[in-house]
Amino acid sequence: MATEVLVPVLGESITEATLGEWLKQPGDKVAADEPIASLETDKVSVEVPSPVAGVMGQHAVSVGDTVQVGAMIATIDSGDGAAAAPAPAAAPAAAPTPAAAPEPETTGDTPAALSPSVRRAVLEHGVDPATIKGTGKDGRLTKEDVAAAASSKPATTSAPAAPAAAAPATGGRKEERVKMTRLRQTIAKRLKEAQNTAAMLTTFNDVDMTAVIEARAKYKDLFEKKHGVRLGFMGFFVKAATMALKDIPSVNASIEGDEIVYHDYADISVAVSSPGGLVVPVIRDAQDLSVAGIEKTIGDFGKRAKEGALKMDEMKGGTFTISNGGVFGSLMSTPIINPPQSAVLGLHRIEDRPVVVNGQVVVRPMMYLALSYDHRLIDGREAVTFLVALKNAIEDPTRILIDL
């Protein structure tokens, strides 16, 4: 008896996803609740667990296919895996059946019917999809079908080799086409939407990092011993930003229709790296957290982002974003707003530069700050005032302690 594996509920307003990877292949033994596939949504990757223990049955969809919530993507057969071995033999046995022959021809003659992963496999192996019997749902081709056809017909694959040999004469240049992940598609769509909707402008300032660097060097060991987390720079910037947002509430506001929504809380979105690209989890009520609490939250986000374990709810909302391109070596940039937010702060690398202090030229560790904002809501005066307030708090961290 086979149990269907369905696409789980992925979160509010999310109705579909892309199959990113199969973690179990047909015939593999599967435990209950063991992940068998990975789905890519608009925000994060989600693992699909097996509803029962048994043996992995047939895949109903291929990597790269779009699947709807509630759709069946595979089956789990009862047993311990021993009975699964004959399953691959059943597919070749069906090949001579005359009634099934026309289906692959139709599929092969219609490239649009092939999934992105199968189209890529066809190009890589140089085979004709019309000559291959599909073992997928409704006779569709799978990557395994293409690989099997390529390995079982050496004579067929040798024919395309002659034109391929001419490639080195042009310098051996190659191209590879890879379908954009759903996360990357969503990022592209939202960033372009921000450019098309907001009247975006960027204001710059620089900040002397001497005081923060000295405080970090003096207290980092005690801080880590007491709080169990390293003392970084983001804790200072997030805390200083929450204070500046309280003074300049329009930077923390958003536009909805013909209304301005002001927030009396600061939910700070912070960009962190994940295997699939940058994701932006949210530090809720950051104004109520200490520097230690902020560092703990960011550290937890970073760890789980690398593991692909961030949850949907942790990526929603946010009233203001901080992006630290400095960790990658960026000197200066113009960050793009994350709608429906109205502003984003860009941090950059720290480098020693000559500056004038009390009439003397001295070398100080300086960082450029960039505030991109929606000019429909935020005036230039407010943007500059926000950056100056942030600069003052970082250059004199005592202000953070006494809320000045």
Side-chain angles (χ1 to χ4, degrees), residues 277-295:
L278 286 179
V279 292
V280 192
V282 180
I283 306 174
R284 309 287 179 188
D285 293 315
Q287 77 282 352
D288 296 332
L289 296 178
S290 64
V291 171
I294 292 169
E295 290 288 0

Side-chain angles (χ1 to χ4, degrees), residues 79-97:
D80 58 3
T97 305

Side-chain angles (χ1 to χ4, degrees), residues 174-190:
K174 297 182 179 180
E175 291 183 350
E176 182 182 11
R177 293 179 179 269
V178 180
K179 184 177 179 181
M180 293 174 68
T181 64
R182 180 171 291 272
L183 175 60
R184 178 53 57 184
Q185 292 180 50
T186 301
I187 291 173
K189 179 181 178 182
R190 289 178 62 81

Side-chain angles (χ1 to χ4, degrees), residues 70-81:
M72 191 269 285
I73 60 172
T75 58
I76 303 296
D77 299 329
S78 58
D80 58 3

Side-chain angles (χ1 to χ4, degrees), residues 166-394:
T170 63
R173 301 190 304 172
K174 297 182 179 180
E175 291 183 350
E176 182 182 11
R177 293 179 179 269
V178 180
K179 184 177 179 181
M180 293 174 68
T181 64
R182 180 171 291 272
L183 175 60
R184 178 53 57 184
Q185 292 180 50
T186 301
I187 291 173
K189 179 181 178 182
R190 289 178 62 81
L191 293 182
K192 189 57 183 173
E193 175 188 341
Q195 287 186 319
N196 293 339
T197 303
M200 203 146 49
L201 181 64
T202 303
T203 294
F204 299 93
N205 209 325
D206 61 1
V207 58
D208 185 345
M209 296 292 291
T210 300
V212 167
I213 290 175
E214 290 177 349
R216 183 171 179 267
K218 183 176 181 179
Y219 297 111
K220 64 179 182 179
D221 293 336
L222 289 174
F223 185 91
E224 185 170 3
K225 182 178 180 180
K226 180 176 180 178
H227 300 291
V229 65
R230 293 177 63 251
L231 176 60
F233 296 121
M234 281 296 286
F236 290 98
F237 276 103
V238 171
K239 193 63 182 176
T242 62
M243 296 168 54
L245 290 174
K246 185 167 66 172
D247 292 340
I248 316 295
S250 61
V251 180
N252 196 42
S254 59
I255 296 177
E256 291 186 8
D258 59 356
E259 296 181 334
I260 299 175
V261 181
Y262 292 96
H263 310 285
D264 65 352
Y265 53 88
D267 285 352
I268 308 296
S269 304
V270 288
V272 297
S273 296
S274 75
L278 286 179
V279 292
V280 192
V282 180
I283 306 174
R284 309 287 179 188
D285 293 315
Q287 77 282 352
D288 296 332
L289 296 178
S290 64
V291 171
I294 292 169
E295 290 288 0
K296 287 179 181 179
T297 304
I298 294 175
D300 177 60
F301 283 158
K303 178 176 180 294
R304 290 192 291 120
K306 292 178 181 178
E307 298 170 351
L310 286 174
K311 300 176 182 178
M312 290 285 186
D313 290 343
E314 294 173 316
M315 318 281 260
K316 295 178 181 178
T319 60
F320 182 77
T321 294
I322 300 179
S323 178
N324 186 6
V327 297
F328 304 109
S330 171
L331 175 64
M332 187 180 292
S333 67
T334 55
I336 299 178
I337 298 167
N338 180 24
Q341 298 174 20
S342 296
V344 52
L345 175 68
L347 308 181
H348 302 90
R349 77 168 184 249
I350 303 169
E351 64 175 9
D352 289 341
R353 292 201 299 268
V355 295
V356 177
V357 178
N358 297 325
Q360 300 293 321
V361 177
V362 296
V363 176
R364 292 291 176 87
M366 304 297 293
M367 175 196 286
Y368 286 117
L369 305 177
L371 182 72
S372 291
Y373 56 97
D374 189 344
H375 212 346
R376 298 177 302 167
L377 173 60
I378 303 168
D379 295 330
R381 178 184 62 83
E382 294 171 315
V384 172
T385 303
F386 173 87
L387 281 180
V388 170
L390 187 71
K391 172 185 173 73
N392 290 338
I394 295 299

